[in-house]
Amino acid sequence: MKRIALIAHDNKKKDIIEWAEYNKNILSRFELCGTGTTARLVSEATGLPVKGYLSGPLGGDQQIGAKIAEGEIDVVVFFWDPLQTQPHDPDVKALLRIAVVYDIPIATNRATADYVITSPLISRDD
């Protein structure tokens, strides 16, 4: 079963919750995890189990990056806010970098996330 990490900056939490509710049936076929508040909010809104890591600013982005490096995450859905400075911006850049290094699909907006989770490639076992 593929594993999807869910992350959203504060100004994008509403967006990722709406996206997860809309795609609940598809997401139910995957193991879900995410950074602190995002994991909790998505789980509460959808009723799906979402393993929570630390909040992004407290190390959650780094935890997700480590799981990517360990081969334990297959896709990242990260609704980030490009218009607001983040105090943990180096961690965010490191997470994006590690996803690219390990060739992990990373969706940074709703349109891309929809393409990724509805792609027939997401169901392949490779």
Side-chain angles (χ1 to χ4, degrees), residues 22-41:
Y22 182 81
N23 291 292
K24 178 181 174 179
N25 289 336
I26 295 171
L27 291 174
S28 70
R29 300 189 326 239
F30 302 97
E31 285 183 36
L32 304 175
C33 66
T35 51
T37 305
T38 302
R40 180 180 53 79
L41 292 173

Side-chain angles (χ1 to χ4, degrees), residues 71-125:
E72 295 185 23
I73 292 179
D74 303 296
V75 174
V76 175
V77 175
F78 185 179
F79 285 15
W80 67 293
D81 186 353
L83 302 178
Q84 185 165 350
T85 305
Q86 302 296 324
H88 61 296
D89 196 52
D91 296 341
V92 171
K93 287 183 178 162
L95 173 62
L96 296 172
R97 186 177 310 109
I98 203 77
V100 171
V101 166
Y102 283 90
D103 202 24
I104 299 298
I106 182 161
T108 58
N109 59 38
R110 186 176 186 139
T112 307
D114 286 340
Y115 275 97
V116 169
I117 68 161
T118 59
S119 168
L121 298 176
I122 201 162
S123 299
R124 288 189 4 197
D125 288 333

Side-chain angles (χ1 to χ4, degrees), residues 16-69:
I16 203 166
I17 291 164
E18 289 174 358
W19 175 82
E21 287 177 315
Y22 182 81
N23 291 292
K24 178 181 174 179
N25 289 336
I26 295 171
L27 291 174
S28 70
R29 300 189 326 239
F30 302 97
E31 285 183 36
L32 304 175
C33 66
T35 51
T37 305
T38 302
R40 180 180 53 79
L41 292 173
V42 168
S43 182
E44 288 173 356
T46 62
L48 297 172
V50 183
K51 177 181 174 51
Y53 292 102
L54 295 172
S55 172
L58 298 178
D61 296 330
Q62 292 179 344
Q63 287 179 303
I64 299 283
K67 293 298 179 188
I68 290 170

